[in-house]
């Protein structure tokens, strides 16, 4: 069993608790243990950067220092905002020696220090690039056959620190969901902003962002949206009544990608926090026929139209 | 009554040195290289709601139009999605510049009282610094209290739903070493980032 340091972030203990509830058993099923940083603090998110950069850096770097102290090779953080802030702080401290000195002095006051050598990784990165898709495929017990899923990455996982995937057209989650047996819906808005904290402060522009994402998912026939971020999940799940009142209904459930993995691994839905969504989602494994007709092995597969160019269209 | 305003800027509207000041902050140096192509405005999902587009904010900042920039709704509408920074052909960290402008607007107090975005930022930092962690439900309640508490009644449905699904909590999340965190944060109380020496030249992002 491999162990990684784990920084959950505030959302995973609050509105996003279903993410943690599903993440830990799924990783355990694949032989990965997460050790939570003792006494971690808030990363500062986007709000702190808007008030005081130096303080934001000090706040975030305490967690990096704690992670170094713990001694594991890498730090895993599932929240996109935490992932961005911790990576940003690392970059900031690397670039500006003056800021690094200020931060180092503040850490020194409480007996901590930061050397800058703990990589910060997202569970999606870990699953696709460390565990690997073949190992995940092997663990699938109840494939999500026929389930139409929209892979939604949101912004802060891939921008501006697209360390493991493309910043405009990422594919990690698409491939992962494919391995689980789901039908991955092509979704060009996969990295468009969900509105972030604007949904709580300025509803009109904030909810409009969420509405566009939901509308496109419904239009493309999605049965569920898979997300990697607690704020994206909240924005796409919690405001349906307000969005419906403004622009019309666009009802589709949004779950964490780890919840779908858990279902495919045959873990019970309640253990994965699937009862916590405001728009309910349920999937009964094995209840569906595969979409494409399975061809019996003794019969040759039907020729595709491209192979029969010039012939009659229907035969 | 229709309000009549001069729509053309005069040289005297500039606050000399403002652009330099912003560009002296680590991460904001590249603003000098802006070619005004408008890619940022094109990719911004929120530009349809802005008074000045992100491209205009870049130009106004660089040309010292401090008042126009700091009182613009644009800086508050930025949701930090980094689409502009990722697409910028001159590798300008536009999102970071927006953060810098938000900070200055907060320092100068140039936004309507009870305007929710800076109030959220303030309440967020207070809670994070005091408790070490954020309790989201309490943060939202504080925000409503400081801005428009009548709106809390419009949110009963959401609150009830979150309560039912076990996602709403009124217990403060907190770290054990709060005193340590307070000491760390107090030690940088008087550090002004613009006054720190700039980063080494080789760290500036030029052509990839």
């Amino acid at each position: 069993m491999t162990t990684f340091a784990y920084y959950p972030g505030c959302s995973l203990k609050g509105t996003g608790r279903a993410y943690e509830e599903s993440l830990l058993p799924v990783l355990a099923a694949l032989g990965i243990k997460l050790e939570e940083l003792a006494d971690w603090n808030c990363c500062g998110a986007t709000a702190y950067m808007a008030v005081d950069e130096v303080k934001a850096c000090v706040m975030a770097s305490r967690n990096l220092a704690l992670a170094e102290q713990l001694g594991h090779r890498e730090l895993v953080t599932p929240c996109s905002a935490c992932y961005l802030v911790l990576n940003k702080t690392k970059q900031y401290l690397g670039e500006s020696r003056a800021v690094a000195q200020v931060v180092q002095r503040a850490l020194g006051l409480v007996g901590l220090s930061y050397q800058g050598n703990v990589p910060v990784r997202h569970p999606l990165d870990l699953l696709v690039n460390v565990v690997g898709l073949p190992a995940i495929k092997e663990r699938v017990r109840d494939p999500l056959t026929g389930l139409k899923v929209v892979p939604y990455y949101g912004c802060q996982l891939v921008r501006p620190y697209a360390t493991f995937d493309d910043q405009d057209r990422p594919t990690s989650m698409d491939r992962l969901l494919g391995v689980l047996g789901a039908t991955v819906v092509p979704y060009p808005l996969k990295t468009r902003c969900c509105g972030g904290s604007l949904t709580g402060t300025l509803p009109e522009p904030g909810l409009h962002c969420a509405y566009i994402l939901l509308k496109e998912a419904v239009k493309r026939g999605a049965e569920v949206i898979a997300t990697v971020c607690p704020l994206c999940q909240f924005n796409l799940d919690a405001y349906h009544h307000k969005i419906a009142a403004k622009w019309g209904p666009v009802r589709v459930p949004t779950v964490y990608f780890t919840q779908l993995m858990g279902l495919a691994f045959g873990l019970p839905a309640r253990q994965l926090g699937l009862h916590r969504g405001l728009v309910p989602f349920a999937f009964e494994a094995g209840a569906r026929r595969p979409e494409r007709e399975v061809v019996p092995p003794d019969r040759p597969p039907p020729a595709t139209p491209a192979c029969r160019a010039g012939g009659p269209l229907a035969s | 009554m229709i309000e009549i305003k001069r729509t053309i800027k005069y040289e005297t509207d500039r606050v000399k040195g403002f652009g330099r000041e912003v560009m002296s902050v680590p991460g904001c140096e590249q603003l000098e290289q802006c070619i005004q192509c408008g890619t940022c405005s094109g990719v911004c999902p929120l530009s349809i709601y802005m008074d000045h587009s992100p491209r205009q904010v870049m130009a106004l900042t660089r040309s010292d139009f401090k008042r126009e920039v700091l009182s613009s709704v644009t800086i508050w509408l930025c949701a930090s999605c980094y689409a502009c920074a990722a697409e910028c052909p001159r590798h300008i960290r536009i999102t970071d510049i927006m953060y810098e402008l938000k900070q200055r607007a907060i320092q100068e107090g140039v936004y309507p009282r009870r305007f929710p975005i800076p109030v959220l930022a303030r309440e967020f930092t207070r809670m994070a610094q005091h408790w070490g962690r954020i309790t989201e439900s309490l943060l939202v309640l504080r925000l409503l209290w400081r801005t428009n508490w009548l709106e809390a009644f419009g949110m009963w449905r959401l609150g009830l739903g979150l309560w039912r699904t076990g996602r709403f909590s009124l217990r403060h999340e907190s770290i054990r070493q709060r005193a340590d965190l307070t000491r760390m944060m107090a030690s940088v109380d008087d550090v002004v980032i613009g006054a720190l020496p700039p980063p080494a030249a080789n760290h500036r992002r030029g052509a990839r």
Side-chain angles (χ1 to χ4, degrees):
Chain A
M1 202 159 219
T2 329
T3 309
F4 290 86
Y6 171 50
Y7 177 79
C10 305
S11 288
L12 270 82
K13 303 291 178 187
T15 53
R17 60 198 321 158
Y19 198 177
E20 184 172 72
E21 285 166 354
S22 55
L23 174 70
L24 299 180
V26 161
L27 287 181
L30 293 164
I32 291 181
K33 199 182 150 214
L34 295 184
E35 186 180 351
E36 189 170 326
L37 293 185
D39 217 33
W40 55 268
N41 60 268
C42 170
C43 70
T46 51
Y48 228 120
M49 278 282 166
V51 175
D52 189 324
E53 278 139 333
V54 178
K55 283 196 171 176
C57 273
V58 170
M59 191 118 199
S61 62
R62 180 172 175 272
N63 298 310
L64 295 172
L66 288 175
E68 281 187 354
Q69 214 176 35
L70 199 60
H72 296 304
R73 263 184 315 126
E74 291 172 306
L75 178 65
V76 173
T77 182
C79 168
S80 296
C82 300
Y83 173 81
L84 170 103
V85 168
L86 295 179
N87 271 313
K88 185 171 183 155
T89 305
K90 272 176 67 108
Q91 187 197 34
Y92 220 68
L93 297 181
E95 277 183 2
S96 167
R97 194 171 316 153
V99 177
Q101 273 169 359
V102 170
V103 167
Q104 207 63 269
R105 205 177 53 217
L107 288 171
L109 285 178
V110 295
L112 290 170
S113 77
Y114 168 69
Q115 311 303 325
N117 45 23
V118 171
V120 179
R121 301 186 79 157
H122 191 273
L124 181 62
D125 176 21
L126 198 70
L127 284 163
V128 175
N129 300 315
V130 177
V131 177
L133 296 179
I136 294 172
K137 188 167 190 173
E138 214 166 275
R139 183 60 189 74
V140 172
R141 299 284 177 274
D142 304 325
L144 307 175
T145 312
L147 182 68
K148 290 190 188 129
V149 190
V150 153
Y152 175 60
Y153 298 76
C155 35
Q156 299 197 334
L157 174 66
V158 285
R159 284 192 304 262
Y161 304 109
T163 47
F164 66 95
D165 210 335
D166 188 81
Q167 59 185 11
D168 298 314
R169 287 173 204 85
T171 58
S172 304
M173 200 186 352
D174 299 53
R175 288 180 281 137
L176 177 63
L177 293 170
V179 161
L180 301 181
T183 306
V184 181
V185 178
Y187 189 62
L189 305 183
K190 51 167 79 165
T191 63
R192 198 180 198 272
C193 177
C194 72
S197 58
L198 287 179
T199 49
T201 48
L202 298 179
E204 165 71 32
L207 294 180
H208 192 256
C209 286
Y211 163 70
I212 287 178
L213 297 175
L214 292 166
K215 186 182 76 172
E216 188 65 21
V218 169
K219 194 175 127 195
R220 287 171 180 264
E223 291 169 84
V224 63
I225 300 175
T227 172
V228 297
C229 167
L231 188 55
C232 298
Q233 199 278 338
F234 191 84
N235 282 344
L236 298 183
D237 178 43
Y239 293 105
H240 277 274
H241 57 285
K242 281 195 177 179
I243 290 173
K246 273 178 188 283
W247 300 289
V250 278
R251 213 167 151 82
V252 55
T254 305
V255 300
Y256 298 105
F257 77 108
T258 44
Q259 291 179 306
L260 293 180
M261 288 185 77
L263 281 182
F265 287 3
L267 305 175
R270 200 159 176 94
Q271 194 195 326
L272 298 167
L274 274 164
H275 57 293
R276 297 198 190 277
L278 297 187
V279 180
F281 168 72
F283 179 77
E284 215 174 302
R288 298 193 200 192
R289 304 269 82 212
E291 270 221 328
R292 232 175 294 133
E293 207 187 328
V294 180
V295 182
D298 54 319
R299 238 195 310 152
T304 55
C307 306
R308 292 187 286 123
L313 275 176
S315 59
Chain B
M1 182 68 191
I2 298 172
E3 196 192 350
I4 307 291
K5 272 192 340 200
R6 169 162 57 85
T7 55
I8 298 294
K9 299 290 167 214
Y10 281 4
E11 180 72 20
T12 48
D13 296 335
R14 297 168 67 183
V15 178
K16 290 266 163 61
F18 175 69
R20 286 265 132 247
E21 230 176 78
V22 172
M23 285 185 266
S24 73
V25 172
C28 301
E29 317 88 357
Q30 281 288 114
L31 174 57
E32 217 167 354
Q33 309 290 324
C34 178
I35 53 171
Q36 289 288 295
C37 65
T39 304
C40 44
S41 307
V43 296
C44 179
L46 286 146
S47 59
I48 53 169
Y49 288 99
M50 291 171 173
D51 49 357
H52 295 302
S53 68
R55 175 190 67 78
Q56 288 174 327
V57 167
M58 294 302 112
L60 286 167
T61 306
R62 191 167 55 176
S63 321
D64 300 330
F65 286 101
K66 181 177 174 179
R67 271 181 295 269
E68 287 74 7
V69 170
L70 295 192
S71 60
S72 158
V73 73
T74 302
I75 57 177
W76 302 113
L77 278 172
C78 171
S80 310
C81 82
Y82 291 86
C84 50
E87 299 298 334
C88 178
R90 303 304 292 174
H91 308 302
I92 302 169
R93 295 183 190 172
I94 300 166
T95 318
D96 291 358
I97 294 171
M98 292 293 179
Y99 279 137
E100 190 54 36
L101 297 172
K102 283 179 204 180
Q103 281 179 30
R104 279 159 201 270
I106 289 176
Q107 279 159 18
E108 312 238 338
V110 286
Y111 50 83
R113 221 167 75 88
R114 296 183 175 270
F115 185 54
I117 301 174
V119 174
L120 175 69
R122 192 184 64 210
E123 295 300 326
F124 187 103
T125 50
R126 278 187 188 162
M127 188 183 275
Q129 197 168 330
H130 185 76
W131 297 92
R133 288 187 195 169
I134 295 294
T135 313
E136 292 153 314
S137 351
L138 292 173
L139 181 67
V140 171
L141 290 178
R142 288 190 73 97
L143 172 71
L144 290 173
W145 177 247
R146 300 264 179 212
T147 53
N148 181 10
W149 56 269
L150 282 174
E151 209 166 288
F153 294 107
M155 291 178 72
W156 66 270
R157 211 168 148 177
L158 174 59
L160 193 69
L162 292 175
W163 188 275
R164 224 171 12 111
T165 50
R167 294 160 73 184
F168 190 93
S169 161
L170 291 175
R171 196 178 59 87
H172 255 299
E173 294 283 333
S174 165
I175 60 170
R176 270 175 286 115
Q177 297 163 338
R178 271 164 56 188
D180 278 8
L181 186 66
T182 310
R183 264 176 75 203
M184 285 174 58
M185 300 302 265
S187 77
V188 291
D189 259 346
D190 46 358
V191 176
V192 181
I193 193 146
L196 294 173
N202 60 346
H203 282 128
R204 293 189 183 189
R205 283 172 66 188
R208 255 180 212 159

